Structures are given as structure tokens and as C-alpha cells.
């Protein structure tokens, strides 16, 4: 009889964009239940019909609030969903869900639970009174409720080290699996910089339009660069969500659409990303911190050289001066210098392109990540 895996994921869109391919492979060995918010899902019926081993259970996303009544009501409802599904193993995806899962683990009966940390930036940057209270609660819960058999899974060594320091506990049972894997057949290599080494270079930023992704620094840098290099061009693809507190201001979004220095491509669906990357030359993500940005790995798989911040998550993907350049976070001038290196050293770009693809093949192919998850479950 096949074991059942449950994944607790905040939103269906996040499952679709980040976990779908990996979970599809896991469904060859296990029955899968995705417990997530389905209220904004699109094309869900196709996904369900196409794979009988993957099922979905709707669970409304938690309202962001420190009200204890709301919090424990949410936990009670989630426990009810888990009890109905009755999984053998549970994967709690995101740091917040790891926190919730640690509490729930005392009241649910499973063979083991895994806590997948997709990034620590939001927690580490909480310096307000409310933020300090949340950090304190995380310390208490993880120190006193976490079972030794349960395992954290980090996407980079910095997150692993920093959480242990935050909790003042270096004995957390943990491992590192670098992301969710890239389907290198879907994101195939696209030859660049061969026929015309003097071609115009098109720089692409693709991510959610959030401040912590470094988009404002990218916008300001592009203004300077466009003036210096009028035949270079800069593009932005990403969703603007005014309901998200992390998003840029409406005025910034309007400025992007009206800018003569930038080309706004809008929101690109997941199935449109492979074609998008092949239209552009160099990928830029000046993020403040990441777990491991899948979008950058996808871009690299198609052969795009990278310009990314020298921060956790981003620096895992770049071999400096081999497939791109690392820049200082929150620095317009650092973006400008890196772009100028690209423009003024075009003879390096063919090698950068090939090396980007090779790095993905060596470390991030979905088959390699899938094998690591099988080992994790069976350990």
C-alpha cells in the first residue's frame, strides 16, 4: 500500500509555480494531498484530472493577525483538514507553516513531519515591537515543542545557520536541499551571443513587484544606464498586487508603465516563462534575500547570464565572473557597475551563458532534487 504525503502550502499559485513538477514526480511513489487555499486557483480541474495520484483539499489562507483567538481557530480548522486526509508524512512549506506545524505536530499522528524553510528574510527583518514579539514566539515554539525526529529542510546554508543562531539551538535536525528542481527539458538551452557579438543586450527583471526584490534599485539604475547606453534595453515582467503590504507603491507601478527607460511586460503565466527567457539576454534580480529563487534558476537553465545580489539564496546560483556578477544589495550603483561590465565585456557572454546552463545541470536538475526528497522521506 502506498504511503500518503500531505503538503501544507499557503496558496495554490505557489504550489503551481514552485512545487508542481517535483510533486508530480513524487506522485509516482506516493499518494499526494495538497492542502492549500484554492479560492484563487485557475485551471485546477485540469491538474486534478491529469494526475489521479494528486488530490486537493481547500484550506483558507490564514489572515495576518496576532489575535490569539483567530490564530488558534485557524490551527483547529487546519488540524481538522489533516485528520480527514490522514497522511503518513506532512511537509509544512514556508517558515510560518513550519511554526504552525510544530504546534500541530503534538496533536496529529504521522510517521514524520518535515518543515520546509523557503526563506528567512521576512522573519529576520522584523525589528518593530510586533516583530520582536513574533521572533520570541518562534524561539519558544521551536525550542520547546519541536520533536527531535522532525526535520527542517533549508534551501541554503545561510538560512540553516541563521535559524540555529536565532533559536540559540545548533542541534536542530536539519538538512539542505537546494530548491525544488528545474525541468531542463522544459527550460531548454537557447544559444545567445554567437551570431552577432555586438548585438544590443536586453536585460530582464522577472519577479513579483515587491520592494524586497530590489525592483526600485533596478528602476533607478536603468534610468542612468539608458542615458549612458541608449542601445541597451531594460524589461520588467511581474505581478503588481496592491493588497500585498510588500508590494511597491501604486505610484511606482504607474511610473514603470509610463517610463521611457523601461519596458513593462506585465504578468507572465508559468507556462509562458520558457519562451520569455529566450527573448532576453541577461537576467537581473537584486533581491535583499532569498531561499533559492526558482525564477533565476529557470533563466540560467535557458543560458542567461545572471546579475544578482550577494545575499543568501542568490549567491548560491552565481559563480562570480563565470556565469554572472554578484552585486551589493540595496545598491543602485552596484547594479550599474555590473551592467556596464556586461556591456563592455561582451566577449565573456558566450562562456557565461554556457556556464549558467551547466550549473543548473550539475546541481539543480529536478531528477537530482527528486532523489534527495526520496532519501529524506526514507531516512
Amino acid at each position: 500500500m502506498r504511503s500518503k504525503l500531505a503538503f501544507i502550502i499557503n496558496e495554490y499559485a505557489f504550489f503551481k509555480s514552485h512545487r508542481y513538477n517535483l510533486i508530480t514526480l513524487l506522485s509516482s511513489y506516493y499518494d499526494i494531498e495538497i492542502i492549500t487555499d484554492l479560492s484563487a486557483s485557475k485551471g485546477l480541474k485540469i491538474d486534478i484530472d491529469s494526475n489521479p495520484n494528486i488530490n486537493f483539499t481547500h484550506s483558507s489562507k490564514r489572515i495576518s493577525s496576532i489575535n490569539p483567538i483567530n490564530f488558534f481557530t485557524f490551527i483547529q480548522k487546519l488540524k481538522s483538514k489533516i485528520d480527514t486526509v490522514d497522511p503518513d508524512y506532512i511537509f509544512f512549506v514556508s517558515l510560518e507553516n513550519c511554526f504552525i506545524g510544530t504546534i500541530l505536530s503534538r496533536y496529529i499522528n504521522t510517521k514524520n513531519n518535515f518543515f520546509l524553510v523557503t526563506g528567512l528574510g521576512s522573519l529576520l527583518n522584523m525589528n518593530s515591537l510586533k516583530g520582536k514579539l513574533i521572533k520570541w514566539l518562534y524561539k519558544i515554539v521551536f525550542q520547546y515543542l519541536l520533536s527531535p525526529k522532525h526535520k527542517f529542510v533549508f534551501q541554503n546554508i545561510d538560512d540553516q545557520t541563521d535559524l540555529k543562531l536565532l533559536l540559540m539551538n545548533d542541534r536542530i535536525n536539519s538538512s539542505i536541499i537546494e530548491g525544488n528542481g528545474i525541468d531542463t527539458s522544459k527550460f531548454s538551452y537557447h544559444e545567445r551571443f554567437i551570431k552577432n557579438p555586438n548585438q544590443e543586450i536586453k536585460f530582464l527583471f522577472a519577479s513579483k513587484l515587491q520592494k524586497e526584490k530590489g525592483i526600485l534599485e533596478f528602476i533607478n539604475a536603468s534610468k542612468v544606464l539608458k542615458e549612458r547606453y541608449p542601445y541597451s534595453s531594460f524589461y520588467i515582467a511581474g505581478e503588481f498586487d496592491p493588497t500585498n503590504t510588500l508590494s511597491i507603491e501604486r505610484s511606482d507601478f504607474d511610473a514603470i508603465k509610463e517610463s521611457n527607460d523601461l519596458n513593462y511586460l506585465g504578468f507572465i503565466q508559468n507556462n509562458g516563462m520558457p519562451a520569455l527567457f529566450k527573448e532576453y539576454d541577461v537576467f537581473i534580480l537584486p533581491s535583499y534575500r532569498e531561499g533559492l529563487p526558482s525564477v533565476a534558476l529557470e533563466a540560467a537553465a535557458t543560458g542567461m547570464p545572471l546579475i544578482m545580489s550577494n545575499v543568501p539564496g542568490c549567491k548560491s546560483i552565481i559563480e562570480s565572473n563565470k556565469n554572472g556578477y554578484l552585486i551589493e544589495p540595496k545598491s543602485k550603483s552596484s547594479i550599474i557597475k555590473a551592467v556596464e561590465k556586461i556591456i563592455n565585456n561582451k566577449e565573456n557572454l558566450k562562456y557565461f551563458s554556457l556556464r549558467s546552463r551547466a550549473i543548473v545541470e550539475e546541481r539543480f536538475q529536478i531528477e537530482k532534487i527528486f532523489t534527495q526528497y526520496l532519501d529524506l522521506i526514507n531516512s
Side-chain angles (χ1 to χ4, degrees):
M1 184 176 177
R2 288 160 52 110
S3 296
K4 182 183 289 186
L5 309 183
F7 286 80
I8 312 298
I9 301 176
N10 285 338
E11 296 178 326
Y12 172 79
F14 183 74
F15 153 74
K16 185 68 175 175
S17 62
H18 286 72
R19 303 273 165 180
Y20 180 73
N21 291 328
L22 174 61
I23 289 175
T24 297
L25 287 179
L26 287 170
S27 71
S28 299
Y29 290 78
Y30 304 98
D31 292 327
I32 307 291
E33 191 77 33
I34 310 297
I35 302 176
T36 190
D37 189 336
L38 302 176
S39 56
S41 64
K42 295 179 180 178
L44 176 59
K45 188 175 187 300
I46 295 173
D47 294 335
I48 293 174
D49 290 347
S50 63
N51 192 331
N53 299 323
I54 300 178
N55 294 303
F56 293 84
T57 295
H58 173 68
S59 178
S60 296
K61 187 168 60 174
R62 190 181 77 83
I63 299 172
S64 181
S65 169
I66 60 173
N67 183 313
I69 296 176
N70 292 341
F71 180 77
F72 286 106
T73 299
F74 173 82
I75 285 184
Q76 185 180 34
K77 289 180 179 179
L78 181 56
K79 180 183 180 301
S80 177
K81 304 281 186 180
I82 293 171
D83 289 342
T84 301
V85 170
D86 191 26
D88 298 290
Y89 303 92
I90 302 179
F91 288 84
F92 293 93
V93 183
S94 83
L95 185 62
E96 180 186 47
N97 283 337
C98 293
F99 174 77
I100 291 169
T102 302
I103 298 172
L104 278 173
S105 293
R106 292 298 181 105
Y107 307 102
I108 54 181
N109 183 28
T110 56
K111 291 180 181 178
N112 208 347
N113 297 328
F114 303 99
F115 304 103
L116 308 189
V117 179
T118 55
L120 284 182
S122 57
L123 179 67
L124 296 179
N125 293 329
M126 290 181 177
N127 297 315
S128 65
L129 181 61
K130 176 183 175 181
K132 291 176 180 178
L133 173 61
I134 291 173
K135 285 182 182 179
W136 178 79
L137 288 172
Y138 272 67
K139 287 181 183 180
I140 295 298
V141 167
F142 286 149
Q143 283 182 350
Y144 296 106
L145 297 183
L146 191 66
S147 168
K149 76 170 185 175
H150 297 153
K151 182 173 284 189
F152 277 87
V153 180
F154 297 92
Q155 296 189 99
N156 65 71
I157 193 170
D158 296 278
D159 282 354
Q160 184 186 49
T161 301
D162 288 346
L163 188 63
K164 289 180 177 180
L165 287 173
L166 179 67
L167 303 181
M168 296 179 290
N169 182 355
D170 62 359
R171 295 187 300 275
I172 293 174
N173 187 7
S174 66
S175 61
I176 295 174
I177 299 179
E178 293 185 304
N180 306 299
I182 301 300
D183 183 346
T184 51
S185 62
K186 178 181 177 183
F187 293 92
S188 58
Y189 181 75
H190 176 65
E191 198 171 73
R192 297 172 172 84
F193 317 116
I194 306 297
K195 296 179 181 178
N196 179 12
N198 296 316
Q199 70 189 59
E200 170 195 350
I201 297 179
K202 296 183 286 187
F203 296 87
L204 174 68
F205 172 102
S207 184
K208 292 181 179 179
L209 306 189
Q210 296 178 350
K211 297 173 187 176
E212 62 183 14
K213 300 298 183 180
I215 185 171
L216 297 180
E217 290 84 356
F218 174 74
I219 293 168
N220 292 329
S222 69
K223 294 176 183 177
V224 176
L225 289 161
K226 190 64 178 176
E227 184 175 344
R228 292 182 187 176
Y229 307 95
Y231 294 106
S232 60
S233 53
F234 302 88
Y235 297 81
I236 292 176
E239 181 181 18
F240 171 63
D241 180 5
T243 65
N244 190 320
T245 57
L246 299 176
S247 288
I248 59 175
E249 301 296 332
R250 168 68 70 175
S251 57
D252 294 319
F253 180 57
D254 291 339
I256 290 172
K257 293 188 294 181
E258 297 168 4
S259 174
N260 294 321
D261 305 312
L262 292 164
N263 301 277
Y264 178 56
L265 305 173
F267 171 64
I268 308 299
Q269 296 286 349
N270 297 325
N271 59 7
M273 295 303 287
L276 174 76
F277 293 134
K278 292 176 182 179
E279 289 293 319
Y280 303 94
D281 302 311
V282 178
F283 182 81
I284 301 182
L285 185 66
S287 183
Y288 299 169
R289 186 173 182 129
E290 296 280 346
L292 195 73
S294 295
V295 65
L297 288 171
E298 293 167 353
T302 70
M304 296 184 80
L306 308 175
I307 295 174
M308 299 176 69
S309 300
N310 188 13
V311 296
C314 293
K315 64 184 180 181
S316 301
I317 304 172
I318 288 188
E319 294 177 356
S320 190
N321 299 315
K322 292 185 178 180
N323 74 314
Y325 298 110
L326 290 169
I327 60 175
E328 293 304 310
K330 304 181 182 181
S331 172
K332 176 185 78 173
S333 62
S334 192
I335 297 173
I336 292 171
K337 289 177 183 177
V339 169
E340 289 185 324
K341 283 183 183 179
I342 293 284
I343 292 173
N344 295 322
N345 297 278
K346 292 181 180 179
E347 67 276 6
N348 295 331
L349 296 182
K350 178 182 176 182
Y351 173 75
F352 279 19
S353 176
L354 291 168
R355 189 63 198 142
S356 273
R357 174 68 180 192
I359 288 170
V360 174
E361 290 179 341
E362 291 164 8
R363 293 169 49 203
F364 301 106
Q365 278 198 85
I366 192 164
E367 292 81 7
K368 296 178 185 291
I369 302 302
F370 167 61
T371 298
Q372 293 177 52
Y373 267 90
L374 289 181
D375 292 342
L376 173 73
I377 295 166
N378 294 320
S379 62

